[in-house]
Short mmCIF file of all heavy atoms in Angstrom, two decimals:
data_model
loop_
_atom_site.label_atom_id
_atom_site.label_comp_id
_atom_site.label_asym_id
_atom_site.label_seq_id
_atom_site.Cartn_x
_atom_site.Cartn_y
_atom_site.Cartn_z
N PRO A 99 73.37 4.07 -75.29
CA PRO A 99 74.71 4.38 -74.73
C PRO A 99 75.75 4.38 -75.82
O PRO A 99 75.72 3.57 -76.76
CB PRO A 99 74.93 3.18 -73.77
CG PRO A 99 73.59 2.65 -73.45
CD PRO A 99 72.74 2.90 -74.64
N ARG A 100 76.68 5.32 -75.73
CA ARG A 100 77.73 5.46 -76.77
C ARG A 100 78.61 4.23 -76.92
O ARG A 100 79.22 4.05 -77.98
CB ARG A 100 78.67 6.64 -76.40
CG ARG A 100 78.02 7.95 -76.86
CD ARG A 100 78.78 9.08 -76.36
NE ARG A 100 77.89 10.25 -76.40
CZ ARG A 100 78.27 11.48 -76.48
NH1 ARG A 100 79.52 11.77 -76.55
NH2 ARG A 100 77.40 12.42 -76.51
N SER A 101 78.67 3.42 -75.87
CA SER A 101 79.51 2.24 -75.95
C SER A 101 78.96 1.22 -76.95
O SER A 101 79.65 0.29 -77.39
CB SER A 101 79.62 1.58 -74.58
OG SER A 101 78.30 1.33 -74.06
N ILE A 102 77.69 1.38 -77.32
CA ILE A 102 77.08 0.44 -78.29
C ILE A 102 77.25 1.05 -79.69
O ILE A 102 76.73 2.15 -79.95
CB ILE A 102 75.57 0.23 -77.95
CG1 ILE A 102 75.47 -0.38 -76.56
CG2 ILE A 102 74.92 -0.66 -78.99
CD1 ILE A 102 74.04 -0.56 -76.06
N THR A 103 77.95 0.38 -80.54
CA THR A 103 78.31 1.01 -81.80
C THR A 103 77.63 0.43 -83.05
O THR A 103 77.35 1.11 -84.01
CB THR A 103 79.84 1.00 -82.02
OG1 THR A 103 80.27 -0.34 -81.81
CG2 THR A 103 80.54 1.95 -81.06
N SER A 104 77.35 -0.92 -83.05
CA SER A 104 76.77 -1.47 -84.28
C SER A 104 75.28 -1.20 -84.33
O SER A 104 74.60 -1.13 -83.31
CB SER A 104 77.08 -2.96 -84.35
OG SER A 104 76.10 -3.67 -83.61
N ASP A 105 74.77 -1.09 -85.57
CA ASP A 105 73.37 -0.77 -85.73
C ASP A 105 72.49 -1.88 -85.11
O ASP A 105 71.49 -1.58 -84.47
CB ASP A 105 73.03 -0.62 -87.24
CG ASP A 105 73.49 0.69 -87.74
OD1 ASP A 105 73.89 1.54 -86.91
OD2 ASP A 105 73.51 0.87 -88.97
N GLU A 106 72.91 -3.13 -85.31
CA GLU A 106 72.05 -4.23 -84.79
C GLU A 106 72.00 -4.16 -83.24
O GLU A 106 70.93 -4.34 -82.65
CB GLU A 106 72.61 -5.64 -85.12
CG GLU A 106 72.56 -6.01 -86.58
CD GLU A 106 73.85 -5.66 -87.27
OE1 GLU A 106 74.74 -6.47 -87.31
OE2 GLU A 106 73.94 -4.53 -87.78
N ASP A 107 73.16 -3.87 -82.64
CA ASP A 107 73.16 -3.80 -81.19
C ASP A 107 72.33 -2.60 -80.68
O ASP A 107 71.67 -2.70 -79.65
CB ASP A 107 74.60 -3.68 -80.65
CG ASP A 107 75.36 -5.00 -80.83
OD1 ASP A 107 74.68 -6.02 -81.13
OD2 ASP A 107 76.55 -5.00 -80.68
N LYS A 108 72.38 -1.52 -81.43
CA LYS A 108 71.59 -0.35 -81.05
C LYS A 108 70.09 -0.70 -81.08
O LYS A 108 69.32 -0.35 -80.18
CB LYS A 108 71.83 0.84 -81.99
CG LYS A 108 73.16 1.53 -81.72
CD LYS A 108 73.37 2.70 -82.68
CE LYS A 108 74.75 3.24 -82.50
NZ LYS A 108 75.06 4.30 -83.42
N ILE A 109 69.70 -1.38 -82.18
CA ILE A 109 68.29 -1.74 -82.28
C ILE A 109 67.88 -2.73 -81.17
O ILE A 109 66.82 -2.58 -80.55
CB ILE A 109 68.01 -2.38 -83.68
CG1 ILE A 109 68.10 -1.25 -84.75
CG2 ILE A 109 66.65 -3.07 -83.76
CD1 ILE A 109 68.02 -1.72 -86.18
N ALA A 110 68.77 -3.67 -80.91
CA ALA A 110 68.48 -4.65 -79.86
C ALA A 110 68.27 -3.95 -78.52
O ALA A 110 67.37 -4.23 -77.75
CB ALA A 110 69.61 -5.69 -79.76
N TRP A 111 69.18 -2.98 -78.25
CA TRP A 111 69.09 -2.26 -76.98
C TRP A 111 67.78 -1.47 -76.90
O TRP A 111 67.12 -1.47 -75.87
CB TRP A 111 70.32 -1.31 -76.85
CG TRP A 111 70.38 -0.62 -75.55
CD1 TRP A 111 71.06 -1.06 -74.43
CD2 TRP A 111 69.79 0.64 -75.16
NE1 TRP A 111 70.90 -0.18 -73.39
CE2 TRP A 111 70.14 0.85 -73.81
CE3 TRP A 111 69.01 1.57 -75.83
CZ2 TRP A 111 69.71 2.00 -73.13
CZ3 TRP A 111 68.56 2.70 -75.12
CH2 TRP A 111 68.92 2.90 -73.79
N LEU A 112 67.42 -0.82 -78.01
CA LEU A 112 66.17 -0.02 -78.00
C LEU A 112 64.96 -0.90 -77.80
O LEU A 112 63.97 -0.54 -77.15
CB LEU A 112 66.05 0.79 -79.27
CG LEU A 112 66.82 2.11 -79.27
CD1 LEU A 112 66.84 2.76 -80.66
CD2 LEU A 112 66.25 3.10 -78.23
N TYR A 113 64.99 -2.09 -78.39
CA TYR A 113 63.86 -3.04 -78.18
C TYR A 113 63.73 -3.40 -76.72
O TYR A 113 62.64 -3.49 -76.15
CB TYR A 113 64.02 -4.29 -79.03
CG TYR A 113 63.29 -4.19 -80.33
CD1 TYR A 113 63.95 -4.30 -81.54
CD2 TYR A 113 61.90 -4.04 -80.38
CE1 TYR A 113 63.27 -4.19 -82.76
CE2 TYR A 113 61.22 -3.89 -81.57
CZ TYR A 113 61.92 -3.99 -82.77
OH TYR A 113 61.24 -3.88 -83.94
N ARG A 114 64.90 -3.65 -76.08
CA ARG A 114 64.87 -4.01 -74.67
C ARG A 114 64.33 -2.83 -73.87
O ARG A 114 63.53 -3.00 -72.95
CB ARG A 114 66.27 -4.39 -74.19
CG ARG A 114 66.75 -5.73 -74.76
CD ARG A 114 67.90 -6.28 -73.94
NE ARG A 114 69.12 -5.54 -74.05
CZ ARG A 114 70.05 -5.76 -74.99
NH1 ARG A 114 69.86 -6.67 -75.89
NH2 ARG A 114 71.13 -5.04 -75.06
N ARG A 115 64.78 -1.64 -74.21
CA ARG A 115 64.37 -0.45 -73.50
C ARG A 115 62.85 -0.28 -73.65
O ARG A 115 62.12 0.07 -72.72
CB ARG A 115 65.11 0.74 -74.07
CG ARG A 115 64.85 2.05 -73.38
CD ARG A 115 65.50 2.11 -72.00
NE ARG A 115 65.53 3.48 -71.57
CZ ARG A 115 66.61 4.13 -71.07
NH1 ARG A 115 67.72 3.46 -70.89
NH2 ARG A 115 66.55 5.35 -70.72
N MET A 116 62.35 -0.51 -74.87
CA MET A 116 60.93 -0.36 -75.15
C MET A 116 60.13 -1.39 -74.33
O MET A 116 59.06 -1.11 -73.80
CB MET A 116 60.67 -0.52 -76.63
CG MET A 116 59.25 -0.23 -77.00
SD MET A 116 59.02 -0.06 -78.80
CE MET A 116 59.14 -1.73 -79.38
N ALA A 117 60.69 -2.61 -74.25
CA ALA A 117 60.02 -3.66 -73.48
C ALA A 117 59.93 -3.24 -72.02
O ALA A 117 58.91 -3.48 -71.35
CB ALA A 117 60.77 -4.98 -73.63
N PHE A 118 60.97 -2.63 -71.52
CA PHE A 118 60.97 -2.11 -70.13
C PHE A 118 59.89 -1.07 -69.96
O PHE A 118 59.10 -1.10 -69.02
CB PHE A 118 62.39 -1.53 -69.79
CG PHE A 118 62.37 -0.63 -68.58
CD1 PHE A 118 62.29 -1.21 -67.31
CD2 PHE A 118 62.42 0.74 -68.72
CE1 PHE A 118 62.27 -0.40 -66.19
CE2 PHE A 118 62.37 1.57 -67.60
CZ PHE A 118 62.29 0.99 -66.32
N GLU A 119 59.82 -0.15 -70.92
CA GLU A 119 58.83 0.90 -70.82
C GLU A 119 57.38 0.34 -70.91
O GLU A 119 56.50 0.91 -70.31
CB GLU A 119 59.05 1.93 -71.94
CG GLU A 119 60.33 2.73 -71.75
CD GLU A 119 60.56 3.74 -72.86
OE1 GLU A 119 59.96 3.58 -73.96
OE2 GLU A 119 61.33 4.66 -72.68
N MET A 120 57.23 -0.72 -71.66
CA MET A 120 55.90 -1.34 -71.74
C MET A 120 55.45 -1.79 -70.35
O MET A 120 54.27 -1.66 -70.02
CB MET A 120 55.92 -2.53 -72.70
CG MET A 120 55.81 -2.12 -74.13
SD MET A 120 55.94 -3.63 -75.14
CE MET A 120 55.73 -2.91 -76.76
N ILE A 121 56.38 -2.32 -69.58
CA ILE A 121 56.02 -2.77 -68.23
C ILE A 121 55.65 -1.56 -67.36
O ILE A 121 54.66 -1.57 -66.62
CB ILE A 121 57.15 -3.57 -67.56
CG1 ILE A 121 57.46 -4.80 -68.44
CG2 ILE A 121 56.77 -4.01 -66.17
CD1 ILE A 121 58.66 -5.60 -68.00
N LEU A 122 56.46 -0.50 -67.53
CA LEU A 122 56.12 0.76 -66.78
C LEU A 122 54.70 1.20 -67.15
O LEU A 122 53.88 1.52 -66.26
CB LEU A 122 57.08 1.87 -67.18
CG LEU A 122 58.35 2.11 -66.41
CD1 LEU A 122 58.98 3.43 -66.91
CD2 LEU A 122 58.10 2.21 -64.93
N LEU A 123 54.45 1.22 -68.46
CA LEU A 123 53.14 1.68 -68.92
C LEU A 123 52.00 0.81 -68.39
O LEU A 123 50.94 1.29 -68.03
CB LEU A 123 53.12 1.73 -70.46
CG LEU A 123 53.89 2.87 -71.11
CD1 LEU A 123 54.14 2.60 -72.59
CD2 LEU A 123 53.19 4.22 -70.93
N GLU A 124 52.24 -0.50 -68.34
CA GLU A 124 51.24 -1.38 -67.83
C GLU A 124 50.88 -1.02 -66.39
O GLU A 124 49.68 -1.01 -66.01
CB GLU A 124 51.73 -2.83 -67.83
CG GLU A 124 51.34 -3.58 -69.10
CD GLU A 124 52.07 -4.91 -69.19
OE1 GLU A 124 52.32 -5.55 -68.14
OE2 GLU A 124 52.43 -5.27 -70.32
N HIS A 125 51.88 -0.73 -65.58
CA HIS A 125 51.60 -0.31 -64.23
C HIS A 125 50.82 1.00 -64.22
O HIS A 125 49.86 1.17 -63.47
CB HIS A 125 52.94 -0.09 -63.43
CG HIS A 125 53.56 -1.37 -62.97
ND1 HIS A 125 53.14 -2.03 -61.84
CD2 HIS A 125 54.54 -2.09 -63.52
CE1 HIS A 125 53.87 -3.11 -61.72
NE2 HIS A 125 54.73 -3.20 -62.70
#
Side-chain angles (χ1 to χ4, degrees):
R100 277 172 201 205
S101 54
I102 300 176
T103 50
S104 83
D105 283 351
E106 292 93 90
D107 289 348
K108 284 181 187 176
I109 289 173
W111 187 90
L112 278 171
Y113 265 119
R114 290 199 289 273
R115 183 73 164 228
M116 185 167 75
F118 163 75
E119 291 180 340
M120 279 176 177
I121 301 174
L122 268 189
L123 286 164
E124 266 170 34
H125 282 279

